[in-house]
Amino acid sequence: MKKPIILTVDDDPQVLASIARDLRQEFRRDYRILPVGSGPAALATLNELRVRAEPLALVLADQRMPEVEGVEVLAHARTLFPEAKRVLLTAYADTSAAIRAINAAQLDHYFLKPWDPPEQLLYPTLHDLLRSWQATYRPAFEGLRLIGFQWSPRSHELKDFLSGYLVAYQWLDFEKDAESSTLLTAQGLGADDLPVLLYADGQVATKPDKYDVARHLGLPTAAQQELYDVVIIGAGPAGLAAAVYGASEGLKTLLIEKQSFGGQAGSSSRIENYLGFPTGLSGADLAYRAWTQATRLGAELIAPQEVVALRVQDGYKVLTLKDQAEVRARAVILTTGVSYRTLDAPGLARLSGAGVYYGSARTEAHLCQDQPVYIIGGGNSAGQAAMFLSAYASRVYVVIRGASLEASMSTYLIEQLRQTPNIEVLSNTQVVEACGGQSLDAVVLQHDGQAPEKHPARALFVFIGAKPSTEWICDLALCDAKGYLLTGRDLVADPRYATHWKLSREPFLLETCVPGLFAAGDGRAGAMARVASAVGEGSMAIKFVHQYLSE
């Protein structure tokens, strides 16, 4: 954190050196002392400090200076830094000017020369003024800043990415935060360059993609070795568990994730039925703990990075990454999970990322402050999002097509929804249209047997089920009609698939039709869509990897 500045101005070099020396002697521990040798230079310095968003605590200016007098410097400081304390240094003959300056520049104090001894005539008053300034001072944010339009899908994507990796950042809405225009102007940028990332090291990126951001933040995106015992594709609960157990059991382990750690569970605002956490925890917290644990045990994690192809060559699994780099593995575990299904209704595709969101309740909750919001879906993800948003929104409507939540949502969540006064479940209802210009402002609902009705809405969050993220692998590994990976007994029990298994032994429980290629978690046929189940399967997959490698 930068120290606040005390600016002192005097055109007499000896006086300037003397006052700067006394100020440093008393205040250098908590403040930067900046001496300036003329009035014009002081005005230029104030302008520069403003552009750089430097914290200015106090200005001490001599009155009698050629070209620009001290009162003019203080008046300019008041315009640029209204909270900074303003002090005039003057001779006895100029006390009338100092008195006039109390009104003209809203002077906080004036000192007569000489101020010796400073312990009696200078420091006590300055300490009082600086304490008063500190009482209202709020240090400027010095980390990563993201400037964009609130209703921009690209801005939403970056916010989601940064939040997914627990990267602290400050969001500035170009249309509402005056500071954003100042920061952009200082960089020679404008609205056409948005979204813009201002890094803590001073570098600037316009319209960046997540891969550029990851590289700048130092996230590992390339494998360090050419051959691994096991490569895990997908860092949801199943993949993270596999990485933890693989590394802890001595396997050379690589985990690859194309989005952010935690998968769909990582975006959950609250998980309350996971063993060992009686008060619950967020999906992001669970993912971060698992990520840290896997790394500590020796697993290598790269993200964001995507596997675009997989082939078997000389008994090894060869993975081709999005940047065309290749990684070889003796065994692979597919924990690619599932992705949210999109809703096919007028207006939703156009407003996606601009009021319509798929599983992004945490990053966009603030825009729902005291506004009505709608959630589509009756699963646990929808219930957790409703509970989280109820702390922000004036009212949360949970829209379901069925008659009740009992068949699809955990009982504890249903009870929480019932006990939250600003949550209402709309059963036998569908969203048939999303309305708005640049952003969502209303939804059209249709209850069974009734005419459609339009209702105001600030945001619409969609949780209508999921589809497996397996389209890239189904040419190599067998999938069922819905795209879920077939494993174990499913490969030999059904005559349609039996010919695809070529070995004399039966496939291991989580093994696909490709020996040494395993599947775990929500993308596997027959898996139960629960965090604990995914963690169990990911851990169990490592046992079968050991058995495969020992053949």
Side-chain angles (χ1 to χ4, degrees):
M1 186 69 68
K2 293 180 181 178
K3 292 181 181 179
I5 292 171
I6 296 177
L7 178 68
T8 179
V9 188
D10 201 305
D11 68 318
D12 186 324
Q14 291 184 334
V15 175
L16 183 63
S18 178
I19 188 69
R21 180 198 65 226
D22 289 343
L23 291 173
R24 287 194 179 99
Q25 181 176 316
E26 184 69 7
F27 299 104
R28 64 184 175 187
R29 187 177 124 185
D30 300 313
Y31 297 88
R32 289 177 287 161
I33 311 305
L34 183 58
V36 177
S38 71
L43 299 182
T45 299
L46 287 168
N47 291 336
E48 184 179 352
L49 294 177
R50 176 61 179 170
V51 169
R52 288 160 45 190
E54 297 277 3
L56 181 64
L58 184 143
V59 183
L60 176 60
D62 183 59
Q63 168 59 15
R64 289 212 171 187
M65 294 186 295
E67 299 183 78
V68 177
E69 292 185 333
V71 171
E72 296 177 70
V73 172
L74 298 178
H76 192 60
R78 179 192 168 211
T79 301
L80 299 181
F81 298 91
E83 290 82 17
K85 299 301 179 183
R86 296 170 292 279
V87 178
L88 193 67
L89 189 62
T90 183
Y92 181 78
D94 292 324
T95 54
S96 59
I99 293 171
R100 290 195 303 271
I102 293 175
N103 293 325
Q106 292 193 3
L107 198 65
D108 292 295
H109 199 81
Y110 68 89
F111 289 109
L112 297 177
K113 301 179 193 178
W115 58 87
D116 197 45
E119 291 79 7
Q120 296 179 20
L121 301 179
L122 184 68
Y123 298 155
T125 300
L126 292 185
H127 273 299
D128 286 343
L129 291 172
L130 290 170
R131 273 194 293 267
S132 176
W133 178 82
Q134 286 282 3
T136 58
Y137 169 57
R138 297 294 179 267
F141 184 82
E142 292 190 343
L144 180 67
R145 294 181 174 190
L146 172 59
I147 304 174
F149 293 106
Q150 175 61 65
W151 306 111
S152 161
R154 293 193 67 171
S155 295
H156 166 70
E157 181 182 358
L158 285 172
K159 285 190 285 185
D160 234 19
F161 173 76
L162 294 170
S163 298
Y165 285 93
L166 301 182
V167 176
Y169 70 96
Q170 182 185 44
W171 162 250
L172 294 173
D173 185 346
F174 180 75
E175 296 177 312
K176 294 182 179 179
D177 297 306
E179 185 182 4
S180 62
S181 296
T182 303
L183 292 169
L184 289 176
T185 301
Q187 300 294 336
L189 302 175
D192 292 340
D193 300 300
L194 297 177
V196 169
L197 274 175
L198 305 177
Y199 293 103
D201 61 6
Q203 295 192 47
V204 180
T206 60
K207 301 179 181 177
D209 63 31
K210 62 184 180 182
Y211 299 102
D212 293 333
V213 177
R215 282 189 287 270
H216 192 98
L217 295 176
L219 296 175
T221 58
Q224 300 301 306
Q225 303 180 55
E226 293 185 357
L227 178 63
Y228 294 86
D229 293 322
V230 58
V231 171
I232 304 155
I233 306 174
L240 288 165
V244 167
Y245 278 87
S248 69
E249 295 180 13
L251 295 178
K252 192 181 296 183
T253 304
L254 173 67
L255 175 61
I256 304 173
E257 170 56 46
K258 71 175 183 179
Q259 295 291 343
S260 56
F261 295 125
Q264 281 194 0
S267 65
S268 177
S269 54
R270 201 81 186 154
I271 300 171
E272 297 192 56
N273 58 353
Y274 189 63
L275 183 67
F277 294 89
T279 59
L281 78 168
S282 70
D285 190 20
L286 177 62
Y288 178 74
R289 289 168 184 251
W291 176 12
T292 304
Q293 188 177 17
T295 304
R296 181 180 64 83
L297 292 170
E300 184 182 331
L301 285 68
I302 60 173
Q305 185 58 269
E306 184 177 357
V307 179
V308 296
L310 191 156
R311 69 181 189 274
V312 178
Q313 180 179 336
D314 300 326
Y316 294 102
K317 282 71 180 172
V318 182
L319 293 76
T320 303
L321 307 184
K322 187 173 183 179
D323 59 6
Q324 298 306 305
E326 290 190 345
V327 176
R328 296 164 69 86
R330 299 170 66 196
V332 169
I333 303 175
L334 300 171
T335 54
T336 50
V338 293
S339 57
Y340 289 111
R341 293 186 183 277
T342 57
L343 183 63
D344 186 16
L348 267 76
R350 181 175 58 84
L351 295 172
S352 179
V356 176
Y357 305 102
Y358 291 87
S360 303
R362 290 180 62 83
T363 55
E364 302 297 345
H366 67 280
L367 69 87
C368 305
Q369 191 70 45
D370 300 323
Q371 300 286 331
V373 300
Y374 287 78
I375 294 173
I376 305 178
N380 279 6
S381 295
Q384 290 158 357
M387 291 302 303
F388 180 73
L389 290 167
S390 67
Y392 298 86
S394 59
R395 195 153 188 83
V396 179
Y397 298 93
V398 180
V399 181
I400 58 173
R401 301 179 67 174
S404 71
L405 295 168
E406 274 70 12
S408 56
M409 188 179 293
S410 296
T411 302
Y412 80 92
L413 264 176
I414 295 174
E415 288 303 314
Q416 288 182 359
L417 296 184
R418 287 173 178 166
Q419 294 171 15
T420 305
N422 66 332
I423 294 179
E424 181 178 350
V425 177
L426 304 178
S427 57
N428 301 311
T429 304
Q430 297 183 56
V431 172
V432 296
E433 185 179 356
C435 308
Q438 297 299 314
S439 63
L440 180 75
D441 58 38
V443 295
V444 178
L445 303 180
Q446 185 169 24
H447 302 272
D448 282 355
Q450 300 181 22
E453 295 181 356
K454 189 174 183 179
H455 300 270
R458 177 77 291 176
L460 174 67
F461 298 89
V462 184
F463 302 87
I464 57 168
K467 59 179 181 179
S469 303
T470 57
E471 55 279 343
W472 65 279
I473 195 67
C474 282
D475 288 341
L476 179 65
L478 277 176
C479 298
D480 66 12
K482 295 182 178 179
Y484 291 92
L485 289 158
L486 294 167
T487 59
R489 289 291 302 167
D490 288 343
L491 295 171
V492 294
D494 192 324
R496 294 176 299 171
Y497 308 133
T499 57
H500 289 82
W501 181 253
K502 305 298 183 182
L503 300 186
S504 57
R505 67 165 174 85
E506 285 199 357
F508 298 121
L509 181 62
L510 301 180
E511 196 169 22
T512 69
C513 66
V514 179
L517 178 63
F518 301 87
D522 292 355
R524 188 183 69 84
M528 185 173 73
R530 290 291 185 269
V531 173
S533 174
V535 169
E537 288 197 6
S539 308
M540 189 166 52
I542 294 299
K543 171 192 173 183
F544 298 126
V545 168
H546 275 298
Q547 291 179 316
Y548 170 76
L549 294 179
S550 65
E551 290 182 339

